[in-house]
Amino acid sequence: MSTPRIPPPLAGGARGADALRPLLDIALGALREGATARGGPLPAGGPEAVAERVRAAAHPVLPARGAGPETALRTLIHALTEGAADPAEPLCAAHLHCPPLAVATAADLAASALNPSMDSWDQAPAATALEALVTRALAAEIHHGGDALITTGGTEANQLALLLAREAPATRGPVRLLTGANAHHSLTRAAWLLGLPEPVVVPAPAGTLDPAALDEALTELGGPPGTFLVAATAGTTDAGLIDPLDDIADLCAAHGARLHVDAAYGGGLLFSDTRKGQLNGIDRADTVALDLHKLGWQPAAAGLLAARDPRDLDALNHRADYLNADDDTDAGLPDLLGRSLRTTRRPDVLKVAVTLKALGRTGLGHLVDQVCDQAREFAELIDAHPAFELYDTPAISTVLFRPAGATDHHIAQVRRRLLTEGTAVLGRADLDGRRWLKATLLNPHTRPGDLAGLLKLVEETAAAPTTEAAAAAADRTEGTTPR
């Protein structure tokens, strides 16, 4: 008779913490060593070099006999960290991709260890109660008496907003979406996914939705009240601009249109006493998308959809007897299936709740003000530099700029060279018929010297004689394969 194998330890239970402790020491060591080996915001060498290093670390992906937890953790976490674009590095500033707070990440570890599934109360008793408290508190930041759902981010929140508009009792016939030319691509995609008519794209000539053009579009379309959904943006992806929400809300009221505000980026301004006025009118929206893995410093995912009228959420009600049988809900067990289109979902609320309790409104508002002030300082630095052109004063924490006199093609080359060398991570945006480099500042630990260093690095790279075309020509001259 063979001796039974002892299964690997679990993360939960009374002994779970003891099993995790030595493994966490290994994981944390690999994170530290991997970041040191990377030595900057991004791994050098480009996609192929990174992929080759990962292949070497992961091979074989499914061995006949396992290497053991210590080796697996150390090898793969080191490889992933060494090959990461690390938003905690000040020169990693391309996207709306924040460095998560340590306290939020620690809470996320606890959520993973406990592994509640937020689709029935008997799988997540305490997490169910905590989610109800946190979602209502955050909804109250926008709408008095409103409610909110946890989502994976702005894309899911936007999809849910369109679904709720389609199913709202006041809706008369197929909903027609009107969205600015500056809006996030997920809105158009959500309309396609839900089988709605092709959205009407309203001009945004200055980077924000034009109220006069919206009024004209709504007037020309006609139709009874409840036919249209207008989607405004509070924090565009390209430039961080905020649509005139009050003016748009006035037009929606006049035309009987429903209003959704995609505040995935700009919603964090609500925590700042000095900047929340930029969102005047957001309380008049029927639904609002928020992302706390942007200006909330949460590990992804941490999104919300806030609804002014909680009854709108009734459209999501769904019955599955093994999760929310009638007699169970009649007996007082909370029904969670109407809180999401997903069934199994993580308790993402825990990290949010811990962060809110740890920092409070003042602490979060201070972080928001820090990164917005950084953006202003960086913009002033660019504007005063003769070798650069600034797009405009930043509305939130996104700064667009370009080397003076550079072609769009050369700007793209500069960005790719920085990426390949692993020295800086900048985004790109095409606005007003021109290409811009984009710095999205979400790291409150960034210092003025970091910003000056970033600008100097871009200046030197832009002035360097070697371009992609020249490098390819050199390769051909040497008889090698072009890079």
Side-chain angles (χ1 to χ4, degrees), residues 126-297:
T128 297
L130 184 63
E131 183 174 277
L133 291 170
V134 173
T135 51
R136 287 170 191 157
L138 289 173
E141 294 296 307
I142 302 170
H143 303 118
H144 178 70
D147 199 357
L149 304 176
I150 298 288
T151 72
T152 54
T155 293
E156 184 187 354
N158 285 338
Q159 290 173 350
L160 281 172
L162 267 66
L163 176 63
L164 296 183
R166 189 188 73 180
E167 300 300 316
T171 297
R172 303 287 183 265
V175 169
R176 191 74 183 272
L177 172 66
L178 292 91
T179 188
N182 60 339
H184 194 263
H185 63 84
S186 63
L187 286 159
T188 300
R189 199 175 193 193
W192 164 77
L193 183 67
L194 293 169
L196 300 180
E198 185 74 17
V200 176
V201 179
V202 179
T208 57
L209 192 152
D210 180 9
L214 175 62
D215 188 22
E216 183 179 347
L218 286 167
T219 302
E220 287 183 359
L221 288 168
T227 304
F228 304 114
L229 170 66
V230 174
T233 304
T236 59
T237 303
D238 276 343
L241 303 178
I242 299 171
D243 288 340
L245 302 181
D246 247 341
D247 292 342
I248 293 169
D250 286 343
L251 290 171
C252 288
H255 289 275
R258 189 178 173 94
L259 174 60
H260 170 64
V261 174
D262 178 3
Y265 179 14
L269 298 176
L270 289 167
F271 299 119
S272 167
D273 290 339
T274 59
R275 288 180 164 87
K276 62 185 178 183
Q278 292 178 244
L279 300 178
N280 283 344
I282 197 170
D283 58 310
R284 301 171 66 187
D286 295 279
T287 51
V288 177
L290 300 173
D291 257 9
L292 294 178
H293 54 243
K294 293 182 173 66
L295 282 181
W297 293 276

Side-chain angles (χ1 to χ4, degrees), residues 87-93 366-367 369-371 373-375 377-378 381 441-455:
E89 291 281 347
L91 301 195
C92 186
H366 182 59
L367 292 179
D369 289 337
Q370 275 187 285
V371 296
D373 288 344
Q374 287 171 6
E377 291 166 10
F378 190 41
L381 194 64
L441 303 181
L442 294 177
N443 185 347
H445 288 270
T446 299
R447 296 292 176 259
D450 298 319
L451 300 175
L454 175 59
L455 199 58

